């Protein structure tokens, strides 16, 4: 029968349609008079596909209709074939294939409605997920692969992994393994350690939650079970201040009222307590054990995301007739909420992944800063330069020998062009910026929750802010009461108190609330004038309606639970004002109830079925609550039906927004005008009305309403239809105005942001008039600035005309409603965003959370600029997460926005310093730090390139071992990293002159121009250092490593000192610390600098009394190589063929070809005469460059053979002798 209830049509917007028709026909006769007729039906505007909005001024000069002057459509040509594949089709194909494979391998279980029997988990028809919470990202097997994948999916880390792995190939090895693996291993170790700690903490939190013990009600009594062992159908007992483990239906409570309060701040971010109602059938049972003596089940809808709605039924089969009771959101206890009063018993309906809290938990996207993207582009440019440089070096060699091997060796030699320390320094810098922000005494309470994007604070162009609680304090104060003919303000509230007092002037001796009448007899007012009596009566009715129509519950601290007990008329009940606080879902409700208390009518108690009011004379009036219709965003109104127990009168009270109430109340000529006047004052308006019901009318309504609530299909529509049948011809009582005061220093902060070039958009769910007023009062829109209010549109044609009308305006703020915004975005998304971005300020009212996030996404996509969203409530979370930078304010609406944001502040005024000071410093410092780290790698790569070019393009490293590691760490890291303390302007100046912020948004501190300047500086400095060391210190050629490296370190320290603009004492310490570490390393690491004096004895087994071993260490072979080159260049000749031939005869046959080839190729490379006297077929067959042979010989352990041929002459050359001779016997060779 319930399913056959007719669906009354929801109130249409016919009135609004007539108003729009009047607006579009107001032009009178002329070209535009027939515009409305063209768009009566949506289908008739299909031809607009070929007529987009005109985005230029030319067409508006004509006298014809706008549609005749619009240019032809810019129809985009659909890409196809190869062009589509190259332009992004391959990404679409890959993502589609991956999604298909994921769906095949991991198919999601289809969610279905279920029947849950009380206390009988074994009767479940399907297998439900375990009630365990798992927030871990990895397990034991996937931790290492997962962390490594997250690191190496970026180009920079993957590049260094390939470079490091190449050193395991003997043909490509050019140095010690730790030279490459130490920095990479450090980065990976830090990352893995951090992830391991976070993962272990998540594991501990999950284990703690899953191990919490709860009382489970069974046939044998209470047993303790872990949270993870709870199943669907279990009866769970939850004590006060205990977390609810799973989604349950509320069956019983220890409170006599049959209700309890829960705290939902961990679920929806709202700090107000929520009232939950137990199922009346189970609440009436005498004892807990009786739950097992009845045969009952709960029918629950399939698991859904919506935490504000639920549809189900409770059925008891063992009664005659069976009892059916509808279940709604007020009968549910969602997981992750806290019981605030009493003890509750519920039956579990959803567990684990199917609970509302888990289904609404989404992993926010990893935000990447614009600076990181720019550095990534520069890194790719450096890699391209690396490849080009290596190809040039191989080309200059003439592609001799295995050129591809030389190419890879050059790629490895010049790999320091892309420094791995770039990532480390930037991450450490971001951590330092976050620490500085949180330690700033001028913005106390600020928390940095995302430490990867502090530079984004200095690049913002659009700031999208919420209104209530963000720009305003969310502290409501009752300011105005309008009765139609008379209006009461803050200075005339005492008159209202007088009227209320006179209405309850008749004092009854009884202290209870059942005897006195709620309305005084007419005879008591016969002596007063008629007008006075009329106004007093209307004031009394308005105040009583405001005191009754709400969802506020008084809570007394001295009582353990709900204060509104059934024995509310007891004389000893504590109704003292100092113990009473009000709990409600909206601060507007609390403000109204507090105002009625101030004028004499106090709400002292409330439970599910009754409400008590205390009059100025101390009388307690009792009203029976028959029905409550809660406020929803769709209906925009709430209602209540009460029965006065003293007179048995039934009254239906309703209050709501004027747009929802104007068509419900009786005809009047003042409501619309006064609503506009209050809105212009910045007040939030509510229309209050009532309707008297007879007992027959109410019984008929209750019957239809109960049937609609029991319906399984279309329950919401059927309930709305029944309630709407009651909402007709209500008596308008009053109009209330509540003020939401502005936050401290909102005006100067918005003015500062506007002067900084930041465009501010206000997105709010409030009405258009209130939003416009707040925009003016907060100076978001200046007093002299024009405001264009976008008229309501419902069709494509109307949106087309209104956008063209807006196009004619210049330099004016835009105010648009959510409904009109939805229509415009549906058909003219690009045009609307393009026009709105030209406005100095935009106000979007009546916006849903989804629309807020959509607007942020549109701005990011269409403008490519950085956006920031700031809010304080749970409805702002989606907007905050969609923006490039999200800022949350800890306000009265809870901490959900604060916890979901990247930065958390306590007041809106802190945004100014956060952006002007910390945003500026973070961006400037990171830009300087990143470019200086790249300069550090470029200069040493330039020196390597010069060295290889001078020595015949030999792919031999200039610096080996610890020098390369120390150069990027202890020698230069501290001074370079100290740039995070630098600042170009003082904080006071940055705040005083916010115009300086405009330069940051242009990205001039880090661009290809500044990058090229640093590249030129690096090339110039590296070339001068290397050539200077070779030319000026020719006599000390053997020590060229120490000379050039010392000059390099000193140059870096000097460059840092010249770059700093504001000195800090830590910068001075870093400079001297690095210099001291380098000087100390000259004494302890002299072998790396080539400072060991070689003394070759006859048997070649010892050098300076130290055993070389076989093969000799790298520093020895490198020193020999330097001596060999010095000897050959000094004498400008090749090795004498007689010596080579003599020694080759004494060498093993396997070594002779390499030695002979070295002699032959040295002659060619040194541009000497061709070999005389003997032909060497091996050398002619294998024309390999000397650089390759020297590396191969040294790398394979044959270095001693070749090195010994030049060792003696190297030692003599250092003493100044002119001749070059070589060992005469094979015993002089060090093997």
């Amino acid at each position: 029968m319930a399913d056959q209830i007719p669906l009354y049509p929801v109130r249409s917007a016919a009135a609004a349609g007539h108003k729009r028709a009047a607006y579009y026909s107001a032009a009178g006769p002329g070209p535009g008079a027939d515009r409305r007729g063209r768009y009566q039906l949506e289908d008739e505007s299909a031809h607009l596909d070929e007529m987009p909005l005109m985005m230029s001024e030319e067409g508006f000069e004509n006298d014809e209709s706008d549609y005749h002057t619009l240019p032809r459509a810019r129809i985009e040509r659909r890409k196809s074939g190869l062009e589509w594949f190259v332009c992004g089709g391959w990404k679409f194909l890959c993502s589609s294939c991956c999604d298909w494979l994921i769906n095949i391998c991991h198919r999601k279980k289809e969610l279905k409605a279920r029947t849950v029997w009380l206390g009988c988990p074994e009767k479940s028809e399907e297998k439900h997920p375990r009630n365990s919470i798992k927030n871990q990202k990895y397990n034991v097997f996937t931790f290492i692969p997962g962390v490594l994948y997250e690191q190496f999916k970026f180009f920079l880390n993957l590049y260094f992994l390939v470079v490091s792995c190449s050193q395991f190939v003997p043909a490509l090895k050019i140095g010690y393994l730790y030279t490459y693996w130490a920095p990479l291993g450090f980065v990976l170790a830090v990352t893995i350690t951090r992830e391991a700690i976070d993962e272990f903490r998540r594991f501990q939190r999950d284990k703690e939650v899953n191990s919490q013990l709860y009382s489970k009600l069974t046939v044998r009594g209470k047993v303790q079970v872990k949270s993870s062992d709870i199943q669907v159908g279990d009866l769970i007992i939850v004590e006060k201040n205990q977390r609810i483990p799973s989604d349950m239906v509320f069956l019983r409570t220890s409170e006599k009222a049959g209700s309890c309060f829960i705290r939902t701040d961990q679920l929806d971010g709202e700090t107000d307590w929520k009232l939950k109602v137990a199922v009346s059938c189970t609440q009436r049972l005498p004892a807990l054990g009786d739950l097992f003596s009845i045969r009952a089940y709960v029918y629950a809808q399939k698991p859904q995301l919506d935490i504000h709605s639920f549809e189900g039924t409770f059925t008891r089969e063992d009664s005659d007739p069976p009892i059916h009771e509808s279940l709604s959101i007020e009968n549910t206890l969602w997981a992750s909420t806290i019981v605030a009063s009493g003890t509750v018993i519920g039956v579990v309906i959803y567990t684990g992944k199917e609970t509302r809290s888990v289904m609404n938990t989404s992993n926010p996207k990893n935000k990447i800063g614009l600076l990181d993207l720019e550095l990534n582009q520069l890194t790719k440019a450096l890699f391209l330069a690396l490849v080009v440089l290596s190809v040039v070096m191989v080309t200059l060699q003439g592609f001799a020998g295995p050129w591809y091997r030389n190419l890879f060796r050059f790629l490895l030699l010049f790999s320091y062009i892309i420094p791995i320390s770039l990532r480390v320094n930037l991450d450490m810098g971001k951590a330092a910026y976050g620490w500085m922000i949180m330690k700033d005494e001028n913005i106390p309470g600020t928390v940095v929750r995302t430490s990867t994007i502090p530079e984004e604070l200095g690049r913002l162009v659009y700031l999208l802010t919420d209104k209530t609680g963000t720009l305003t304090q969310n502290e409501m104060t009752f300011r105005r009461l309008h009765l139609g003919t008379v209006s009461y303000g803050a200075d005339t509230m005492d008159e209202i108190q007088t009227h209320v007092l006179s209405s309850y002037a008749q004092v009854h001796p009884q202290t209870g609330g059942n005897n006195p009448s709620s309305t005084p007899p007419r005879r008591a007012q016969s002596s007063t004038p008629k007008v006075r009596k009329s106004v007093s009566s209307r004031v009394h009715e308005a105040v009583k309606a405001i005191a009754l129509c709400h969802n506020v519950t008084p809570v007394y601290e001295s009582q353990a639970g709900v204060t509104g007990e059934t024995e509310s008329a007891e004389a000893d009940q504590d109704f003292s004002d100092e113990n009473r606080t009000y709990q409600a879902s909206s601060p507007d409700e609390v403000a109204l109830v507090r105002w009625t208390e101030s004028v004499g009518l106090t709400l002292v108690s409330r439970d599910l079925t009754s409400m008590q009011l205390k009059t100025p004379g101390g009388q307690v009036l009792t009203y029976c609550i028959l029905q409550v219709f809660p406020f929803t965003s769709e209906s925009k109104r709430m209602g209540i039906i009460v029965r006065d127990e003293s007179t048995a009168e039934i009254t239906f009270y309703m209050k709501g927004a004027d747009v929802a109430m104007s068509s419900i109340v009786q005809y009047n000529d003042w409501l619309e005008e006064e609503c506009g006047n209050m809105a212009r004052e910045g007040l939030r308006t509510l229309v209050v009305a009532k309707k008297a019901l007879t007992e027959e009318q109410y019984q008929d309504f209750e019957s239809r309403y109960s049937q609609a609530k029991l319906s399984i299909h279309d329950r919401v529509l059927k309930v709305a239809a029944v309630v709407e049948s009651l909402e007709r011809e209500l008596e308008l009582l009053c109009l209330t105005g509540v003020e939401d005061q502005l936050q401290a220093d909102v005006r100067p902060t918005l003015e500062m942001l506007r002067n900084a070039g930041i465009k501010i958009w206000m997105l709010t769910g409030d009405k258009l008039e209130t939003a416009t007023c707040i925009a003016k009062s907060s100076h978001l829109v200046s007093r002299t600035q024009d405001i264009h209010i976008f008229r309501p549109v419902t069709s494509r044609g109307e949106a087309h005309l209104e956008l063209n009308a807006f196009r004619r305006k210049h330099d004016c703020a835009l105010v648009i409603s959510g409904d009109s915004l939805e229509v415009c975005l549906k058909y003219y998304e690009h045009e609307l965003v393009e026009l709105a971005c030209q406005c100095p300020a935009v106000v979007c009212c009546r916006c849903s959370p989804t629309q807020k996030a959509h607007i942020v996404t549109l701005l990011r996509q269409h403008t490519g600029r950085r956006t920031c969203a700031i809010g304080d409530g749970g409805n702002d979370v989606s907007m905050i997460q969609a923006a490039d930078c999200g800022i949350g304010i800890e306000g009265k609406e809870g901490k959900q926005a604060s916890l979901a944001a990247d930065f958390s502040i306590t007041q809106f005024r802190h945004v100014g310093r956060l952006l002007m000071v910390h945003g500026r410093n973070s961006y400037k410092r990171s830009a300087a730090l990143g470019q200086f780290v790249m300069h550090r790698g470029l200069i040493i790569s330039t020196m390597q390139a010069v060295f290889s070019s001078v020595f015949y393009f030999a792919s031999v490293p200039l610096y080996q071992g610890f020098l390369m590691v120390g150069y990027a760490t202890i020698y230069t890291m501290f001074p370079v990293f100290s740039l995070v303390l630098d600042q170009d302007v003082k904080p006071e100046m940055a705040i005083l002159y916010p115009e300086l912020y405009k330069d940051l948004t242009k990205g001039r501190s880090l661009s290809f121009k500044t990058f090229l300047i640093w590249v030129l500086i690096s090339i110039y400095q590296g070339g001068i250092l290397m050539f200077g060391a070779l030319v000026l210190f020719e006599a000390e050629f053997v020590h060229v490593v120490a000379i050039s490296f010392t000059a390099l370190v000193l140059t870096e320290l000097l460059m840092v000192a010249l770059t700093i603009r504001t000195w800090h004492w830590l910068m001075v310490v870093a400079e001297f610390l690095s210099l001291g570490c380098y000087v100390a390393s000259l004494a302890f690491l002299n072998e790396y600098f080539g400072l060991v004096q070689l003394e070759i004895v006859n048997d070649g087994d010892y050098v300076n009394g130290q055993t070389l071993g076989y093969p000799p260490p790298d520093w020895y072979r490198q020193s020999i190589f330097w001596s060999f080159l010095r000897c050959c260049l000094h004498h400008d000749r090749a090795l004498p063929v007689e010596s080579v031939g003599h020694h080759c005869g004494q060498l093993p046959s396997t070594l002779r070809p390499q030695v002979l080839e070295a002699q032959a190729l040295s002659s060619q490379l040194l541009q000497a005469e061709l070999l005389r006297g003997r032909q060497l077929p091996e050398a002619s067959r294998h024309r390999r460059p000397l650089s390759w042979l020297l590396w191969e010989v040294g790398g394979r352990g044959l270095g001693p053979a070749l090195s010994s041929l030049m060792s003696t002459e190297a030692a003599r050359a250092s003493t100044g002798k002119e001749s070059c001779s070589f060992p005469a016997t094979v015993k002089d060779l060090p093997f």
Side-chain angles (χ1 to χ4, degrees), residues 764-793:
T764 177
D766 248 338
K767 64 175 60 179
L768 186 144
E769 292 81 5
T770 306
T772 305
C773 179
I774 294 296
K776 288 183 177 180
S777 63
S778 64
H779 292 179
L780 175 65
V781 179
S782 62
R783 295 286 183 180
T784 59
Q785 201 168 52
D786 292 335
I787 297 179
H788 177 81
I789 298 179
F790 205 92
R791 294 182 182 270
V793 295

Side-chain angles (χ1 to χ4, degrees), residues 968-1041:
T969 54
I970 63 172
Y971 295 154
T972 60
M973 187 191 74
F974 298 116
V976 172
F977 186 72
S978 67
L979 291 175
V980 301
L981 301 173
D982 192 19
Q983 58 183 15
D984 57 341
V985 295
K986 293 182 178 180
E988 296 79 10
M989 299 299 293
I991 296 177
L992 184 60
Y993 299 100
E995 291 81 5
L996 296 173
Y997 190 87
K998 295 180 181 179
D999 185 63
L1000 304 180
T1001 60
K1002 299 176 182 178
R1004 293 176 176 175
S1005 298
L1006 179 62
S1007 61
F1008 274 99
K1009 178 181 178 180
T1010 59
F1011 171 70
L1012 291 176
I1013 292 175
W1014 278 102
V1015 169
L1016 294 177
I1017 293 175
S1018 302
I1019 294 176
Y1020 170 76
Q1021 292 179 345
I1024 292 297
L1025 289 177
M1026 197 67 242
F1027 276 114
L1030 294 176
V1031 175
L1032 299 179
F1033 299 93
E1034 183 180 2
E1036 299 292 333
F1037 184 80
V1038 177
H1039 306 311
V1040 69
V1041 173

Side-chain angles (χ1 to χ4, degrees), residues 702-718:
E702 185 183 27
S703 175
R704 292 187 291 116
Y705 188 67
S706 300
Q707 293 174 9
K709 289 198 299 181
L710 289 174
S711 177
I712 299 300
H713 303 289
D714 298 326
R715 175 188 294 183
V716 176
L717 292 177
K718 293 177 180 178

